[in-house]
Amino acid sequence: MDILFTDLSNLKQKLEVNFQAFTDLMIVFDQNSSILEYKSGNSLMHKLPDSFLDQKIQDIFPPAEVGKFEKAFSQVKQTGTMTIFQYLLTSPNGESWFDARLSRLSQTQFILTARDMTTWLETESRLKRKMQQLSALRSIDLAIASGLDLNLLLSMLLDHVTSLLNVDATAILLLNSKSNILEFAAGKGFNSDTLRHTRLKLGEGYAGIVAMERRTVHIPDFNENETGFERSPFFASERFMSYYGVPLIAKGRVHGVLELFQRSPLNPDSDWSNFLKIISGQAAIAIDSATMFRDLQISNLELNIAYDAT
């Protein structure tokens, strides 16, 4: 009797420890996967009805996630050690990730405890994205300091913009200070040479409006607007849906336009918009620095040629 009481006391202690650590869900089930008891915490994703009692635990998982549980269950039965896995649940409110621990309670009973990890994973992802953004800005600063060639600089800028803002294609148009014409300088993510021969006057097309009015232009859906790219016969083949045009301004002067294209709806959050503003500002400074360095080299070359001729 004392031994039985001790076993029950140990079992209760195990249950309390598990549930304190994982407050969203706790399920006790037998070796045939039949649910014996469950306790649900604050997670709305795990409001299990009474009908789940005596049902298979696999019934609480989406079909795509059942394999993860069965693999973990097999490992626990074979080794007797705790197994950890993650699974995804989808609801009308969105997706939620759960961190689950599966362990043995006795020879015939097992326990699954789970905790909603969605907020933690979103925070981790946001911090990782911030670190990547800071690294990109640092790379641009180093490029400015090193006097990187303008073509290499533009290629690096578009690599960072495309990957960190997660867009399909990007382009940079530079403003020719002598002719006041926007000219295509670099592009990434295009399937054709659709914009390679772009030459726009100020106020012409979306990029011309961006440069003349010094403001960002956002077209959420080309299907509901004139594309503004009728000048290119191949633009329709790219199947772009969304567009952003951002002025590149440094020292009070417009140096060009950064264009972003997406083949699906683009619904950016505040972090995305803020980073676009920051990196476009850094891009303008980098272009200004690289252009000055290039012009200085050309001036020195012309001076040397004149000197030799004299």
Side-chain angles (χ1 to χ4, degrees):
M1 190 68 174
D2 290 339
I3 295 176
L4 178 59
F5 179 79
T6 302
D7 289 341
L8 291 174
S9 177
N10 290 338
L11 177 59
K12 182 179 180 182
Q13 187 175 7
K14 283 184 179 181
L15 291 175
E16 290 297 329
V17 169
N18 276 283
F19 194 68
Q20 288 173 8
F22 293 86
T23 57
D24 289 317
L25 178 69
M26 181 182 71
I27 299 177
V28 178
F29 57 98
D30 63 21
Q31 55 191 352
N32 296 318
S33 303
S34 297
I35 297 175
L36 303 176
E37 184 180 354
Y38 73 86
K39 186 175 182 182
S40 179
N42 295 326
S43 175
L44 297 177
M45 302 297 296
H46 278 116
K47 294 295 184 181
L48 304 181
D50 292 339
S51 60
F52 270 93
L53 292 177
D54 298 325
Q55 299 297 312
K56 297 292 185 181
I57 190 172
Q58 286 91 333
D59 294 338
I60 75 167
F61 294 101
E65 303 293 313
V66 171
K68 295 180 180 179
F69 164 76
E70 292 181 340
K71 181 180 179 180
F73 191 25
S74 177
Q75 291 177 354
V76 171
K77 286 193 291 187
Q78 291 176 8
T79 66
T81 59
M82 179 185 295
T83 301
I84 301 174
F85 65 99
Q86 291 184 343
Y87 62 94
L88 174 68
L89 291 183
T90 303
S91 75
N93 296 325
E95 295 182 341
S96 295
W97 280 99
F98 287 83
D99 186 80
R101 299 192 178 193
L102 184 60
S103 57
R104 183 188 290 272
L105 283 177
S106 66
Q107 290 297 320
T108 60
Q109 294 185 359
F110 301 84
I111 183 171
L112 172 75
T113 53
R115 178 172 56 184
D116 190 341
M117 300 292 290
T118 308
T119 302
W120 184 87
L121 291 174
E122 289 174 349
T123 301
E124 182 185 43
S125 177
R126 192 180 305 115
L127 290 175
K128 184 178 179 180
R129 188 165 60 249
K130 288 288 186 184
M131 291 300 296
Q132 292 173 337
Q133 292 174 355
L134 290 174
S135 177
L137 295 175
R138 175 61 175 165
S139 298
I140 296 173
D141 287 340
L142 292 175
I144 295 172
S146 64
L148 189 64
D149 174 79
L150 181 59
N151 291 328
L152 294 176
L153 174 65
L154 295 179
S155 178
M156 181 194 70
L157 285 171
L158 293 185
D159 284 340
H160 287 315
V161 171
T162 304
S163 62
L164 295 177
L165 292 176
N166 194 28
V167 291
D168 292 325
T170 52
I172 289 180
L173 308 181
L174 294 182
L175 182 63
N176 187 316
S177 59
K178 296 180 181 179
S179 63
N180 266 352
I181 296 293
L182 285 169
E183 301 173 344
F184 179 89
K188 181 178 177 64
F190 296 95
N191 297 325
S192 64
D193 294 337
T194 180
L195 300 181
R196 187 167 294 277
H197 304 292
T198 296
R199 288 175 56 84
L200 295 173
K201 298 177 182 178
L202 294 181
E204 182 182 4
Y206 293 136
I209 294 173
V210 170
M212 186 176 71
E213 300 184 5
R214 297 186 170 214
R215 65 178 178 88
T216 296
V217 171
H218 174 210
I219 306 300
D221 191 347
F222 282 136
N223 296 323
E224 298 178 359
N225 300 269
E226 293 184 3
T227 66
F229 293 93
E230 287 81 3
R231 65 182 185 275
S232 173
F234 302 108
F235 186 81
S237 66
E238 294 284 353
R239 299 185 180 279
F240 291 127
M241 176 180 288
S242 306
Y243 169 86
Y244 264 88
V246 185
L248 300 176
I249 303 173
K251 299 178 182 177
R253 175 188 164 198
V254 177
H255 290 272
V257 175
L258 171 64
E259 296 188 300
L260 283 64
F261 300 87
Q262 185 76 356
R263 295 183 175 93
S264 59
L266 186 59
N267 301 306
D269 56 17
S270 59
D271 287 343
W272 190 96
S273 300
N274 290 336
F275 183 66
L276 174 60
K277 185 182 298 184
I278 292 171
I279 199 169
S280 60
Q282 287 294 94
I285 295 171
I287 291 170
D288 176 64
S289 178
T291 302
M292 288 179 61
F293 184 74
R294 182 191 62 186
D295 293 345
L296 181 61
Q297 286 181 315
I298 293 174
S299 297
N300 286 336
L301 179 61
E302 292 174 346
L303 183 62
N304 287 333
I305 292 173
Y307 179 81
D308 290 341
T310 302

